[in-house]
């Protein structure tokens, strides 16, 4: 139950991520700094499993994980999928993270899709990498925005969010258009096949169901000079008919983190 989009620029990349969760699940902890085996990284923390769904490290590597509800659940004792993000966040590059993933006993993890953003990724250099563990085998995927995860009505959810995404970026992929998409709700257009309440819908990127809802928004920006993670506890919607953005008494639901970037070998077009 999540939605991820991204934007590649001449100097780096940006990630936009809505996390959706069951209403009974404990609230995530805001982004926290970690330094495992000499690599500093930052990630919000799921207090249930101790891992995360998104992380960024000091090299400029970012990782996003979405649950793959349509996979086959392994019959082994399970380890939280979020701990994979914590483990892979120690890596310097996307390919190093993929090599590490190959050593992981995945039969102890529920199905997931993983996206990897290399430190040298730009508009003209590299591509977003992806892997899918379906509970039986690990395969390479080609991530296409928006990446969508849902345990309910996946076909219609994906179709609707893809259509809305294309509508929002009709005049270009910008920070404003992506943020607006992640705050968007079902349209009131009577001609739509997917007619629902304008706010409380499982189809929209800003998702509201009786049992689950969008619980946070994370924005990552990586350039040769800048590594930032902005985290908002709650949904981006500002419609008063939707649920309040303030969660569990958190008086300041927005957190920002800046990492000092370690030197990397940049692609030629980034070297000045």
């Amino acid at each position: 139950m999540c939605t991820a989009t991204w934007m590649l620029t001449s100097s780096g990349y940006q990630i936009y991520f809505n996390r959706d969760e069951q209403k009974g699940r404990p609230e995530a902890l805001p982004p926290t700094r970690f330094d495992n085996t000499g690599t500093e990284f930052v990630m919000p923390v799921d207090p249930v499993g101790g891992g995360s769904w998104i992380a960024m490290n000091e090299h400029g590597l970012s990782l996003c994980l979405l649950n793959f509800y349509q996979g086959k659940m392994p019959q082994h004792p399970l380890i939280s999928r979020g701990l994979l993000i914590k483990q892979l966040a120690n890596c310097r590059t996307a390919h190093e993270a993929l090599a590490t993933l190959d050593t992981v006993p995945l039969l102890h993890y529920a199905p997931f899709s993983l996206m990897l953003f290399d430190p040298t990724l730009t508009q003209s250099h590299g591509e977003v990498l992806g892997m899918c563990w379906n509970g039986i085998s690990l395969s390479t995927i080609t991530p296409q925005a928006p990446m969508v995860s849902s345990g309910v009505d996946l076909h219609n959810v994906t179709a609707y969010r893809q259509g809305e995404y294309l509508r929002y970026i009709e005049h270009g992929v910008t920070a404003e258009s992506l943020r607006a998409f992640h705050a968007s709700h079902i349209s009131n257009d009577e001609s739509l096949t997917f007619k629902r309440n304008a706010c409380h819908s499982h189809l929209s990127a800003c998702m509201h169901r009786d049992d689950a809802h969008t619980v946070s928004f994370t924005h990552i920006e990586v350039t040769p000079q800048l590594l930032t993670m902005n985290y908002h506890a709650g949904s981006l919607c500002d419609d008063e008919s939707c649920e309040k953005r303030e969660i569990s008494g958190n008086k300041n639901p927005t957190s920002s983190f800046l990492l000092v970037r370690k030197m990397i070998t940049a692609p030629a077009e980034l070297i000045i």
Side-chain angles (χ1 to χ4, degrees):
M1 298 181 292
C2 297
T3 305
T5 63
W6 53 91
M7 175 172 63
L8 305 185
T9 69
S10 60
S11 60
Y13 64 85
Q14 296 185 41
I15 304 171
Y16 299 76
F17 197 106
N18 278 10
R19 183 192 185 213
D20 307 333
E21 268 300 346
Q22 296 291 325
K23 290 185 175 180
R25 194 177 182 90
E27 179 185 349
L29 304 176
T32 303
R33 292 177 188 268
F34 294 87
D35 189 348
N36 293 358
T37 64
T39 296
E40 186 178 18
F41 61 92
V42 61
M43 68 180 201
V45 178
D46 173 18
V48 176
S52 187
W53 58 97
I54 190 167
M56 173 191 73
N57 73 18
E58 63 184 337
H59 302 293
L61 172 69
S62 297
L63 306 158
C64 300
L65 184 144
L66 296 86
N67 295 346
F68 183 52
Y69 296 99
Q70 290 67 39
K72 180 179 174 61
M73 194 66 68
Q75 299 303 307
H76 294 71
L78 295 179
I79 302 169
S80 171
R81 288 168 283 206
L83 292 174
L84 283 172
I85 291 291
K86 192 172 185 179
Q87 178 180 355
L88 299 177
N90 291 303
C91 299
R92 295 176 59 90
T93 68
H95 288 289
E96 181 181 329
L98 289 176
T100 301
L101 184 63
D102 278 339
T103 69
V104 174
L106 291 178
L107 285 173
H108 291 283
Y109 295 87
F112 61 84
S113 296
L114 175 70
M115 292 186 294
L116 306 95
F117 297 77
D118 192 75
T120 62
L121 180 64
T122 69
Q123 228 170 24
S124 58
H125 183 273
E127 60 184 359
V128 181
L129 303 180
M131 302 297 293
C132 180
W133 164 244
N134 64 8
I136 300 173
S137 61
L138 182 68
S139 59
T140 300
I141 59 173
T142 302
Q144 299 290 333
M147 286 287 287
V148 174
S149 168
S150 179
V152 174
D153 198 17
L154 178 65
H155 176 76
N156 285 333
V157 169
T158 301
Y160 182 81
R161 293 183 195 177
Q162 285 176 341
E164 286 295 279
Y165 172 76
L166 293 175
R167 186 171 70 84
Y168 273 93
I169 66 165
E170 180 180 2
H171 301 293
V173 179
T174 65
E176 292 75 20
S177 64
L178 292 182
R179 189 178 177 91
F181 168 70
H182 280 266
S184 67
H185 298 112
I186 193 83
S187 171
N188 279 321
D189 188 341
E190 292 287 350
S191 67
L192 285 175
T193 301
F194 305 121
K195 178 62 180 167
R196 296 290 190 278
N197 178 283
C199 174
H200 294 88
S201 171
H202 68 294
L203 297 174
S204 55
C206 188
M207 190 274 286
H208 303 270
R209 291 197 329 239
D210 290 340
D211 62 330
H213 57 163
T214 297
V215 297
S216 69
F217 168 77
T218 306
H219 172 243
I220 287 174
E221 182 173 7
V222 170
T223 71
Q225 296 80 28
L226 190 70
L227 301 172
T228 60
M229 176 182 284
N230 296 303
Y231 177 82
H232 181 85
S235 61
L236 284 179
C237 66
D238 56 8
D239 185 335
E240 291 186 359
S241 66
C242 293
E243 52 207 301
K244 299 295 185 181
R245 287 192 290 171
E246 183 177 300
I247 296 181
S248 301
N250 187 351
K251 302 304 181 183
N252 182 15
T254 300
S255 306
S256 297
F257 286 82
L258 177 68
L259 292 181
V260 176
R261 183 160 191 168
K262 281 193 173 180
M263 294 298 294
I264 63 170
T265 302
E269 62 266 28
L270 298 185
I271 300 175
I272 301 175

